[in-house]
Amino acid sequence: MIAPHPDLKLRRRLALNMGSCLSVHSADASSINSTALLVIDVQRGLFEQTPPPADAEAVIARINDLARRARATGTPVIFIQHERPDGPLAHGSPGWQLALGLNVDPGDRRVRKTSPDSFLRTELADVLHAFGITRVVVCGYATEFCIDTTVRRAAALGFEVVLAADAHTTQDKPHATATQIRAHHNATLPCMISFGPRISATPTVEVKFRSLASTASC
């Protein structure tokens, strides 16, 4: 695994706020450097289930808003697709395809995965390092599985993580509703400061992207 440049790690440590644990953070413009948007598992086989993920149409609309704003600033948009050897999520099957209503640009990247960890046995880390990424915005499905695991792994690998607080979803479970599950993860993931890089949970409208040109001029 390629490690982030030492200077980048030092800058992240200096920017880290270790003195508080807030459930939902507002995006901090000063922390924005080289960012990528990760859209996880928003696929037909997962979003066309019965019942569908909670708030599915609104979540897709928020993801489209994030992607539109990311592209406008030259921020890479990476769609991560889960696959299995057979069944509805077999590679290339209708269920494996990205969900209807999701806006995709020819310049967007695709990454295939086979576990809840978007980095495990995938090219994601190499793609991020090739772009010089130090910060990732995470959205998609499912909150308590692939979103949770990828957020933790990204932070462990040295990336600052912004969880789009209202742009990830799951289904209701016997022990908790989807709304409760999302609220739980929005509240607890930012409390994990021992990874080093900051994890924050930020509403979609407050997630900020900045062009490389404006970053370079700061």
Side-chain angles (χ1 to χ4, degrees):
M1 189 68 65
I2 303 173
H5 191 280
D7 288 346
L8 297 177
K9 294 203 295 186
L10 176 61
R11 287 164 62 188
R12 283 197 296 269
R13 291 193 192 103
L14 292 174
L16 204 59
N17 176 10
M18 302 292 286
S20 64
C21 176
L22 301 178
S23 60
V24 177
H25 298 274
S26 178
D28 179 2
S30 65
S31 71
I32 300 174
N33 192 346
S34 296
T35 300
L37 175 64
L38 307 184
V39 183
I40 299 175
D41 295 358
V42 185
Q43 297 165 253
R44 292 190 62 180
L46 299 171
F47 273 67
E48 295 178 10
Q49 302 181 69
T50 302
D55 203 27
E57 290 186 6
V59 166
I60 289 176
R62 294 179 191 118
I63 292 172
N64 285 339
D65 178 63
L66 288 167
R68 175 187 59 79
R69 292 191 282 121
R71 296 183 193 108
T73 60
T75 298
V77 177
I78 302 173
F79 289 95
I80 300 166
Q81 291 167 267
H82 195 84
E83 63 183 69
R84 297 175 183 144
D86 49 35
L89 292 181
H91 179 255
S93 68
W96 178 83
Q97 305 299 329
L98 294 174
L100 299 177
L102 195 63
N103 296 334
V104 184
D105 187 86
D108 297 338
R109 291 278 187 143
R110 305 282 190 101
V111 169
R112 296 162 58 183
K113 72 176 180 66
T114 57
S115 82
D117 182 348
S118 296
F119 293 91
L120 182 63
R121 298 187 298 271
T122 77
E123 62 180 355
L124 180 58
D126 290 337
V127 170
L128 295 177
H129 288 308
F131 277 113
I133 300 303
T134 60
R135 173 182 181 261
V136 293
V137 176
V138 176
C139 59
Y141 176 91
T143 300
E144 73 274 38
F145 295 116
C146 300
I147 297 296
D148 177 87
T149 305
T150 298
V151 166
R152 294 170 190 251
R153 183 70 186 280
L157 291 174
F159 297 98
E160 179 186 350
V161 182
V162 177
L163 176 62
D166 52 358
H168 61 96
T169 185
T170 188
Q171 275 96 354
D172 291 344
K173 301 297 190 300
H175 68 284
T177 67
T179 299
Q180 290 170 331
I181 293 169
R182 182 161 71 179
H184 172 81
H185 285 74
N186 287 341
T188 57
L189 286 172
C191 292
M192 296 182 181
I193 61 175
S194 58
F195 286 119
R198 183 187 185 197
I199 301 172
S200 59
T202 303
T204 293
V205 296
E206 296 180 22
V207 174
K208 293 180 174 64
F209 300 98
R210 186 166 58 178
S211 68
L212 293 178
S214 65
T215 300
S217 65
C218 292

